[in-house]
Amino acid sequence: MDIGTLIAKRYRVKSAIGHGGMGQVWMADDEHLGRSVAIKTMTPASGLTPSQIAHDSARFEREAKAVARLDHTGLAAVYDLGVETGTHYLVMQYVQGLDLGDYIVERERLTLEEATAVGVQICSVLAATHSRGIVHRDLKPGNVRIRTDGVVKVLDFGVAAILDGDTQKLTTTSERLGTFQYMAPEQIMGEPVDPRTDLYALGCLLHEMLTGRPVFEHEAPLMVPSLHTGAAPEPLRALRPDASEDVENLVLELLAKKPADRPVHAGEVYRRLAVHLPAPGAPEAALVPWAEPDPRRPFRHPMAPDARPVRQWAREAGGAR
């Protein structure tokens, strides 16, 4: 895929914006509707046999269709799916904003209200996907984006597992797709995953948001997986004394080595986090223009209008007098 390529006679590739779970992600112009979109193209790994490539292509299509059936504010909408000159592609909503990793770096560590606001929005997404038998498997800061209006989007289901009624993955049990710093022990060991695998990753995110550092670090990165499978995480309050005991306990439960010892579903995590959400703010504060993403905004000013043109409104009101 090259800059300027026209896909399906309508999507003009503008730039590469990242690597997804199974390939490249591009920014493109939808020339039919005049909007920006994100296009994920599947890039087969080198050395695969034709049958392995066909297997990956089928999984790419299956996962795209599964996510397309979901309708949730915290997911990037799926617009199109197809094949162009042998390359499988998925067209999605282009989400502007700051990824969670950059948000943490800018602030060093988040306040409890900020971390809770991000956490409960992720819980809402996971509840929706898990109810449809979809496990993300690569929940990490780079796959969480905070829009300017504070809405949190969970991106990149490119390594998602689709579960059958017995919660066994349809992909092979030997696959360990994901990112080691946020990967649950069962995933590292190549065992079957279930929704609690994503909850482990959520525990990693909450820990990192509140402390500014990953749960496990090592000068030799290849040692990190063994820490996830065998080492005890440091309690939250040992690194951040002002953290509340109930949040510390929740994070430790999320980071349990055995899935059975973790919270049973995302709804329970939401319930336990939501008590720390910010209270609604004064209505007039909602109309103050903002420049930076703030995940607390949807809770402080639910359904508030976009405040960025507030100066324009003021000029219009002044001219009407």
Side-chain angles (χ1 to χ4, degrees):
M1 190 70 65
D2 297 313
I3 306 302
T5 298
L6 186 65
I7 299 174
K9 299 181 180 179
R10 67 181 291 183
Y11 307 113
R12 181 78 63 182
V13 176
K14 291 181 63 179
S15 61
I17 55 177
H19 292 278
M22 296 178 67
Q24 186 81 26
V25 183
W26 309 83
M27 183 179 177
D29 283 333
D30 181 346
E31 296 184 345
H32 282 197
L33 295 177
R35 63 181 176 183
S36 296
V37 296
I39 298 181
K40 182 185 296 182
T41 55
M42 195 194 84
T43 306
S46 60
L48 295 182
T49 65
S51 63
Q52 289 172 322
I53 293 174
H55 170 269
D56 283 351
S57 298
R59 187 177 72 199
F60 181 88
E61 182 173 337
R62 183 178 67 245
E63 291 162 359
K65 290 180 177 179
V67 176
R69 289 193 291 269
L70 296 170
D71 181 12
H72 193 283
T73 304
L75 293 170
V78 174
Y79 297 144
D80 200 0
L81 175 70
V83 182
E84 182 80 15
T85 61
T87 298
H88 291 257
Y89 67 88
L90 172 67
V91 183
M92 301 169 293
Q93 175 187 12
Y94 176 65
V95 180
Q96 291 182 301
L98 192 65
D99 81 44
L100 180 58
D102 291 336
Y103 193 78
I104 295 171
V105 169
E106 285 187 359
R107 288 154 178 78
E108 296 187 357
R109 62 184 189 181
L110 307 190
T111 67
L112 179 58
E113 284 191 350
E114 288 173 325
T116 297
V118 173
V120 298
Q121 292 190 68
I122 294 174
C123 284
S124 183
V125 173
L126 294 181
T129 57
H130 293 167
S131 69
R132 294 295 188 93
I134 301 171
V135 177
H136 191 287
R137 286 203 298 176
D138 196 20
L139 190 60
K140 60 184 179 182
N143 283 338
V144 176
R145 185 154 297 171
I146 306 170
R147 298 195 321 188
T148 305
D149 61 2
V151 171
V152 171
K153 295 270 191 178
V154 177
L155 308 177
D156 194 6
F157 281 77
V159 299
I162 302 174
L163 309 176
D164 63 20
D166 296 323
T167 65
Q168 299 296 313
K169 3 187 240 189
L170 294 183
T171 46
T172 61
T173 56
S174 63
E175 290 176 328
R176 285 177 280 188
L177 302 172
T179 304
F180 281 137
Q181 275 192 323
Y182 309 94
M183 193 179 289
E186 66 272 16
Q187 193 175 0
I188 291 171
M189 298 170 68
E191 297 173 352
V193 302
D194 69 20
R196 292 168 296 184
T197 302
D198 285 342
L199 296 187
Y200 183 93
L202 176 57
C204 293
L205 293 185
L206 288 169
H207 182 280
E208 188 165 343
M209 283 190 281
L210 290 167
T211 67
R213 52 186 275 189
V215 177
F216 295 115
E217 294 179 290
H218 198 282
E219 58 185 11
L222 291 179
M223 292 298 296
V224 172
S226 64
L227 297 176
H228 280 286
T229 58
E234 195 164 6
L236 198 59
R237 289 190 295 170
L239 301 170
R240 183 164 181 173
D242 64 331
S244 64
E245 183 177 1
D246 62 322
V247 172
E248 178 185 74
N249 290 338
L250 174 60
V251 171
L252 288 174
E253 289 176 36
L254 288 166
L255 295 176
K257 305 301 182 188
K258 297 179 180 179
D261 294 333
R262 298 172 204 153
V264 294
H265 54 67
E268 179 187 342
V269 183
Y270 174 93
R271 176 183 61 79
R272 294 170 64 179
L273 282 176
V275 296
H276 298 287
L277 284 172
E284 57 270 18
L287 300 182
V288 176
W290 69 92
E292 297 183 354
D294 184 351
R296 298 169 297 180
R297 180 174 174 79
F299 304 98
R300 285 179 166 171
H301 308 293
M303 302 302 294
D306 187 337
R308 280 170 289 187
V310 72
R311 292 187 180 89
Q312 175 186 338
W313 300 341
R315 286 195 300 269
E316 292 172 353
R321 293 193 183 99

